[in-house]
Amino acid sequence: MLIPCYNEVVAIQETVAGFRKALPEATVYVYDNNSKDQTSARAREAGAVVRVEKLQGKGNVVRRMFSDVEADVYIMTDGDATYDPIPAREMIALVLEQNIDMVVGRRVHTESEAYRAGHVLGNKLLTGFLARLFGQRFTDILSGYRVFSRRFVKSFPALSAGFETETELTVHALTLNMPIAEVDTAYFSRPTGSTSKLNTYRDGFRILMVMLELFKNERPLAFFGLAGVALAVFSIALSIPVFITFLQTGLVPRFPTAILSASVMLLAFLSVVCGLVLDTVTRGRREIKRLSYLQIPAPADAARESRAPKPAALADAG
């Protein structure tokens, strides 16, 4: 059980207690990201193993957790007591019985305070945008409640630093065509006195930029092909008046426009060529990631090998 958190003194005890009750066999790890309050002390009092990650940002914490901890199945949630622990066992069962690599807790809320209208709209827009780029397989890409197989965690590059890590997790699953699932889970409002660390506009913009960067990195032919088409259309639009004048008079009086049009068209062809080259490189990278992913046994096979699996009890890596 992995819980990244920052300044969650109000909610961390409730979070740890809830998941320990739902999964008594689990070892709960709380990774404190430089909290300035008593988050670590409250987590220890609740029975969690507490570790500290000095690099600020949720993505940095996720990278550290995935590096440190060895397990067959990993459960990750936020430390703000907003996620229902009860569905965790169902999510684990999907991983172990159906070899699902990532199960996302799709948030279902009945309290307006739990899920602000701006966050709902932003999530829908970003989910729709991601679906356009990589395919519609998720309806809640920003959920912080997820269960992973070992082969997902140990093949995940974890390059992001902040809240955009959920987007990176989703794209990793989509680009490798991993088996995935979503499970409805209740989403509660924060306890009184607890405040969200998510900035709607700043973090939303960062997530959008990460999506565009992942689009460029994972689908370079489409990205640079679209740029090439846009440049080609611009070039043709510039050349039309020059071409009409040439047909009428046999002269090209506007040399700067003609040169600019030709130059832009060259850039269009260069963009497409870059996309073709990078697409080959990306395919090689994806094959390497896929081979790394396949080196780790499927969850069901790992459970059979261990004979007495403890899917939520994570062994300390040191």
Side-chain angles (χ1 to χ4, degrees):
M1 184 78 236
L2 305 176
I3 306 176
C5 63
Y6 171 68
N7 286 348
E8 293 291 358
V9 66
V10 175
I12 191 62
Q13 279 189 312
E14 182 180 345
T15 303
V16 173
F19 279 94
R20 290 192 69 197
K21 181 178 179 180
L23 300 167
E25 70 274 31
T27 301
V28 179
Y29 290 87
V30 170
Y31 275 72
D32 188 349
N33 195 202
N34 299 318
S35 293
K36 298 175 178 59
D37 55 21
Q38 297 298 311
T39 296
S40 292
R42 297 291 180 271
R44 288 191 185 92
E45 291 171 4
V49 177
V50 177
R51 293 180 178 175
V52 176
E53 172 52 50
K54 294 295 184 181
L55 288 176
Q56 199 68 42
K58 186 175 181 179
N60 292 320
V61 182
V62 170
R63 184 187 307 114
R64 176 71 179 277
M65 293 190 303
F66 285 2
S67 300
D68 285 357
V69 177
E70 301 292 335
D72 293 329
V73 177
Y74 298 74
I75 309 163
M76 185 175 74
T77 190
D78 294 336
D80 53 11
T82 56
Y83 291 103
D84 185 3
I86 301 302
R89 198 166 290 280
E90 177 187 355
M91 296 164 76
I92 293 170
L94 285 171
V95 172
L96 290 177
E97 296 171 10
Q98 299 184 27
N99 282 333
I100 303 295
D101 284 306
M102 181 171 70
V103 182
V104 176
R106 180 171 48 211
R107 291 170 287 184
V108 178
H109 67 288
T110 57
E111 307 171 35
S112 59
E113 297 83 2
Y115 206 1
R116 287 178 285 176
H119 290 181
V120 173
L121 177 61
N123 191 19
K124 287 182 178 179
L125 291 174
L126 292 171
T127 299
F129 183 66
L130 192 71
R132 290 280 184 180
L133 300 182
F134 298 100
Q136 178 69 58
R137 298 182 66 191
F138 289 101
T139 58
D140 187 1
I141 67 165
L142 301 182
S143 173
Y145 190 11
R146 302 176 185 234
V147 175
F148 309 97
S149 68
R150 175 181 174 80
R151 62 183 180 179
F152 181 102
V153 167
K154 296 306 179 181
S155 66
F156 177 60
L159 301 176
S160 64
F163 283 106
E164 61 272 21
T165 188
E166 279 89 2
T167 303
E168 191 181 20
L169 288 164
T170 303
V171 171
H172 180 61
L174 294 175
T175 54
L176 293 186
N177 292 318
M178 295 181 181
I180 55 180
E182 286 186 313
V183 171
D184 287 344
T185 177
Y187 190 61
F188 309 116
S189 59
R190 282 172 166 268
T192 303
S194 175
T195 57
S196 175
K197 315 305 181 299
L198 179 67
N199 183 291
T200 303
Y201 300 104
R202 182 195 64 205
D203 292 309
F205 179 76
R206 288 177 60 184
I207 291 168
L208 180 59
M209 290 299 100
V210 167
M211 284 185 181
L212 290 174
E213 184 177 355
L214 289 170
F215 180 37
K216 175 179 68 70
N217 293 340
E218 300 298 337
R219 296 186 59 193
L221 183 56
F223 182 87
F224 288 100
L226 288 173
V229 169
L231 289 169
V233 170
F234 180 56
S235 173
I236 292 170
L238 287 174
S239 69
I240 289 175
V242 177
F243 187 67
I244 291 173
T245 302
F246 174 76
L247 291 177
Q248 291 173 344
T249 65
L251 302 173
V252 182
R254 290 183 286 183
F255 271 105
T257 303
I259 294 171
L260 177 61
S261 175
S263 300
V264 172
M265 185 59 75
L266 287 175
L267 288 176
F269 281 109
L270 182 60
S271 180
V272 173
V273 170
C274 287
L276 289 169
V277 173
L278 291 173
D279 188 64
T280 302
V281 174
T282 298
R283 186 177 183 87
R285 288 176 46 247
R286 193 172 296 145
E287 288 173 353
I288 292 172
K289 287 197 292 185
R290 183 73 184 178
L291 290 173
S292 175
Y293 163 81
L294 291 174
Q295 287 179 354
I296 303 169
D301 294 335
R304 281 195 295 270
E305 289 173 6
S306 62
R307 293 180 178 267
K310 295 180 179 180
L314 308 181
D316 189 350

